[in-house]
Amino acid sequence: MRIIYRNGAVYTGELPLCEAFVTEGNRFVYAGTNEGAMAFKEEGDEVRKLDGRFVCAGFNDSHMHLLNYGNALRMADLSAHTSSMGAMKEYMKDFILENNIRPGTWVKGRGWNHDYFEDGRRFPDRHDLDEISEDHPICLTRTCGHACVVNTKALELTGITKDTPQVDGGRFEVDADGGPNGIFRENAMDLIYSRLPEPDKEDIKEMILAASRALNRYGVTSSQTDDLLAFNNVPYERVLEAYRELEAEGRMTVRVYEQSQFTTLKDLKGFLEKGYNTGWGTPWFKIGPLKMLGDGSLGARSAYLSSPYADDPSTCGIPIFTREQFEEMAGYANSRGMQVAIHAIGDGILDDILAAYEKALSECPRPDHRHGIVHCQITRPDQLRKFEELSLHAYIQSIFLDYDIHIVEERIGKERAASSYNFKTLYETTHASNGSDCPVELPDVMKGIQCAVTRTTVKDHVGPYLMEQAMSVKQALDSFTIEGAHASFEENEKGRIAPGLAADFVVLDANPFDVPVHELARIQVEATYVDGVCCYAKQG
C-alpha cells in the first residue's frame, strides 16, 4: 500500500520546496507536485493532507552518546538546578527524599556547570557533597561529561586514598594533606565509574529505548553514537547483543551507527578479528568508525591547547593519548579499511591527531576514507587548511555556541578565538555534519539549527560570535540530514526525501525558511516517522 502526503511544504534537500511525496512500505517513491503524487493512487492507497506543514528528512545526530543518555534519564537532572552550588545541593537533598533512596545506595546526577554558579564559580568537592548526605555514596557528573565529583562516602566505598596512584590521561585533585578532594577528571573518572553498579543486558535495552523515545520527540531518526565504553565494567558484547535483540524484537525507532571506542591496539585488533568493521550490520544497527577520545572539554579546562589557558596559565589541559598512540591506532584502523573519528576540542591535541591521520593516509592511501574530527572547536587557520587537504569529516555541534560564547575568549584569548568554531568554513571546504554530543546537550535539533544560523545564544541572543561563520538555514538543515548520512557512508540510503531512500521524515509546525532566524528554536516537532511508520506524534 502506498501513502500519499499532499499539500505540504516539503524539503527534499533541494530548493524550491515541493508540495507532496509518496511512500510505499519503508521507502519514498516520489517527491514533487500534488498532481504527480496523486497519479500514484490506486485502490487501497491512503491520502494524507499535510495542511501546509513543513516536512524534511529525519534528523541525524552525528555524534552523541545514546546509551549514556538513557542512563542520564535515570539520574538526577542537575541542568535545571545549576544556578548556584546551594541550589544544586538542595535539589539533591530533595531528590534523595522524594525517591526514598536507601542509605548506602549510590546516588547519581548529571548536568552541573560551575560557570553558572552565582555563589562562586568553582567545582564542588567532597565536602560540598557531604552536606547533601554522608550516608549515601554520591557521584555528580559535570554537564560536559569530562569531570565528576564524589563525596567522602563514595571515596570510602571505592577505596581511593592519598596512596592511590594518578591515572594516565586523567587526574584526581587532592586536599592539602594529599588525600583526594572528590574531583576526578578524564580517565581518572574510571576509578569511580568502575565501582558503580553494573547494568545487565535488560537494563541496557531499557536505557536504549528510553533514549530513543526522547530522540524521536526531537525528530531524530538516526544516531551516530559512542556506546561501547559507556560503562567500563560492562563488556562491549553486552551492548552489541542489546542492540541486536532490540532489532530482532522490532523495537528500535532510531537507526544507529556505532562510533566504536577503544583505548588499546589489543582491544581494537580483537574487535576486528571478530569480524566487526565499518559497515558491518543492518540499516538499523551498523558498526561505524573507531572512536578515540583525544582530550577533555573547554568548560572543565581539560581540552588540550597548544599553549596555556588565558584564564589559567598553569595548565594546557589534559591529553588522553600521545601522538604515537594516535598514529598506532589510526594507522592500524586505516590499513584495515576502518573509518576513524577522534574527539578533539583543543588545538594542541588536534595537532597530534592531524599528524596521525596524515601519516596513516601516506602509508595506506584511501580515496574515500571519511575519517573525521569530533567537535572541531579550537582551531587555527593552518589546521583548517589541513582538514581540507586530508578530506576529513567535521562532526560539529553548533549547539555548543549557546554556552561557549560566554567563555571562549576568556578561556583561550582573542587570537585563538578568532579562528575557532569555524563551522561554515569546515562545511564549505570539506564535509560537516551536526549533532548534540547528548547528554552534554539535549538532542534539540532546532536549537542547534538556530545557533548555527544566528551564532548567538538561544534565549537572550548574546553574540553574535564570528558572524561570518554563520550557516544558511539550508546548510544547517543539511548538516543534520544529508551530511549526517554522508558521515556514515549512507547518502544513497537516507538523508533526503527522494525515490528509493528510506522513508524517515519529520513533520514540523512551521517552515524554517520562513520564520525569523531567532525563532527557529521555537519550531516544534509534530510527528516523526522511521521506515514509514509514525514513532512519535505530538499530543494536543
Side-chain angles (χ1 to χ4, degrees):
M1 183 185 78
R2 299 186 185 95
I3 302 177
I4 299 166
Y5 297 84
R6 58 176 296 169
N7 296 331
V10 181
Y11 177 59
T12 64
E14 300 291 341
L15 293 173
L17 303 179
C18 63
E19 299 174 307
F21 62 95
V22 181
T23 64
E24 184 170 8
N26 63 357
R27 297 278 155 177
F28 296 115
V29 295
Y30 175 80
T33 65
N34 287 328
E35 291 77 9
M38 291 304 295
F40 281 80
K41 189 176 186 313
E42 296 179 353
E43 185 177 351
D45 291 344
E46 182 179 351
V47 178
R48 298 180 183 176
K49 295 180 180 180
L50 292 168
D51 296 324
R53 287 173 296 181
F54 181 88
V55 182
C56 67
F59 297 136
N60 188 329
D61 191 312
S62 72
H63 177 70
M64 64 170 299
H65 306 265
L66 188 147
L67 184 51
N68 263 331
Y69 185 31
N71 188 34
L73 290 172
R74 297 181 168 192
M75 299 181 187
D77 180 7
L78 300 176
S79 63
H81 306 277
T82 193
S83 60
S84 69
M85 182 89 74
M88 182 185 75
K89 292 177 185 177
E90 290 305 311
Y91 169 69
M92 288 306 304
K93 291 176 184 177
D94 292 342
F95 180 84
I96 291 170
L97 288 173
E98 290 171 4
N99 289 275
N100 195 27
I101 301 176
R102 298 189 309 274
T105 303
W106 278 91
V107 178
K108 298 178 287 183
R110 179 164 181 158
W112 60 269
N113 186 341
H114 67 292
D115 286 317
Y116 293 150
F117 287 171
E118 297 170 352
D119 49 1
R121 292 171 61 184
R122 66 173 179 86
F123 273 37
D125 60 23
R126 67 181 177 91
H127 305 292
D128 295 301
L129 270 58
D130 287 346
E131 294 178 20
I132 299 170
S133 175
E134 295 182 351
D135 299 321
H136 301 81
I138 301 174
C139 177
L140 304 183
T141 301
R142 192 180 185 278
T143 184
C144 63
H146 290 270
C148 70
V149 58
V150 300
N151 65 348
T152 301
K153 184 72 172 179
L155 291 172
E156 292 171 355
L157 286 180
T158 55
I160 301 169
T161 68
K162 63 181 180 181
D163 297 320
T164 302
Q166 291 285 355
V167 176
D168 289 341
R171 68 172 182 265
F172 58 87
E173 297 185 9
V174 297
D175 289 326
D177 64 359
N181 74 355
I183 298 172
F184 292 75
R185 301 174 188 265
E186 304 306 333
N187 285 351
M189 294 187 295
D190 290 342
L191 295 172
I192 301 297
Y193 292 163
S194 63
R195 270 80 161 189
L196 293 175
E198 176 185 328
D200 62 23
K201 186 165 60 180
E202 289 305 313
D203 289 328
I204 291 171
K205 289 167 70 173
E206 288 305 315
M207 292 179 202
I208 292 170
L209 291 173
S212 297
R213 288 191 293 269
L215 289 174
N216 294 153
R217 290 196 292 272
Y218 289 107
V220 176
T221 59
S222 289
S223 166
Q224 299 181 46
T225 172
D226 174 355
D227 297 320
L228 299 191
L229 296 185
F231 304 99
N232 65 358
N233 54 2
V234 172
Y236 68 77
E237 283 287 5
R238 188 179 304 169
V239 176
L240 298 181
E241 287 172 10
Y243 274 116
R244 285 195 290 261
E245 289 184 12
L246 287 173
E247 180 180 358
E249 294 161 5
R251 300 170 73 190
M252 291 187 68
T253 60
V254 173
R255 301 183 193 277
V256 169
Y257 192 66
E258 186 62 49
Q259 296 177 337
S260 309
Q261 186 180 165
F262 292 98
T263 60
T264 69
L265 185 60
K266 177 182 177 182
D267 289 340
L268 174 60
K269 286 182 176 179
F271 185 72
L272 292 173
E273 286 167 1
K274 290 180 180 180
Y276 300 120
N277 205 333
T278 301
W280 178 95
T282 71
W284 283 107
F285 181 83
K286 286 184 181 180
I287 298 297
L290 162 67
K291 165 71 191 309
M292 295 184 72
L293 190 65
D295 62 350
S297 73
L298 194 66
R301 293 189 186 85
S302 54
Y304 187 62
L305 305 179
S306 58
S307 58
Y309 279 81
D311 59 354
D312 186 359
S314 70
T315 184
C316 289
I318 301 175
I320 307 300
F321 295 98
T322 65
R323 180 175 296 195
E324 291 71 26
Q325 288 172 312
F326 285 128
E327 290 175 348
E328 178 182 67
M329 295 282 281
Y332 185 83
N334 179 69
S335 69
R336 298 307 189 274
M338 190 177 197
Q339 184 185 18
V340 185
I342 306 179
H343 162 123
I345 290 181
D347 66 319
I349 206 67
L350 185 54
D351 281 332
D352 292 338
I353 296 166
L354 291 172
Y357 278 143
E358 189 165 33
K359 184 174 188 291
L361 292 169
S362 65
E363 292 176 349
C364 182
R366 290 173 57 195
D368 193 25
H369 52 80
R370 304 196 193 183
H371 300 326
I373 304 292
V374 179
H375 303 311
C376 314
Q377 286 172 236
I378 312 306
T379 54
R380 304 188 307 268
D382 62 298
Q383 294 173 325
L384 294 169
R385 291 191 292 271
K386 186 64 71 173
F387 263 87
E388 182 178 10
E389 180 184 324
L390 297 175
S391 297
L392 296 178
H393 188 98
Y395 298 85
I396 66 172
Q397 292 78 42
S398 55
I399 188 61
F400 281 4
L401 290 167
D402 189 44
Y403 163 60
D404 288 1
I405 281 175
H406 297 290
I407 66 167
V408 60
E409 284 195 8
E410 177 184 336
R411 286 283 194 277
I412 65 174
K414 288 187 177 182
E415 182 178 352
R416 276 184 294 194
S419 60
S420 296
Y421 302 79
N422 272 212
F423 299 151
K424 184 173 184 179
T425 293
L426 290 167
Y427 183 94
E428 293 182 344
T429 58
T430 179
H431 284 274
S433 59
N434 218 325
S436 64
D437 203 18
C438 177
V440 174
E441 297 283 351
L442 288 174
D444 191 330
V445 173
M446 295 313 302
K447 283 187 177 180
I449 287 175
Q450 179 169 312
C451 285
V453 173
T454 65
R455 303 286 293 193
T456 68
T457 61
V458 174
K459 290 183 179 179
D460 48 5
H461 312 316
V462 174
Y465 170 58
L466 303 183
M467 192 60 194
E468 68 274 14
Q469 289 297 322
M471 291 181 170
S472 67
V473 171
K474 183 181 188 303
Q475 288 173 329
L477 272 171
D478 289 351
S479 73
F480 276 106
T481 52
I482 296 169
E483 289 297 315
H486 183 273
S488 59
F489 295 90
E490 294 176 298
E491 66 270 26
N492 294 320
E493 292 294 321
K494 62 185 182 183
R496 295 175 293 123
I497 295 178
L501 301 193
D504 301 348
F505 60 96
V506 58
V507 182
L508 304 180
D509 69 356
N511 184 343
F513 292 100
D514 286 346
V515 304
V517 293
H518 286 291
E519 296 180 12
L520 286 164
R522 297 182 184 178
I523 295 176
Q524 299 291 306
V525 173
E526 292 205 348
T528 303
Y529 290 74
V530 183
D531 245 12
V533 177
C534 183
C535 56
Y536 168 74
K538 184 179 177 182
Q539 301 299 312

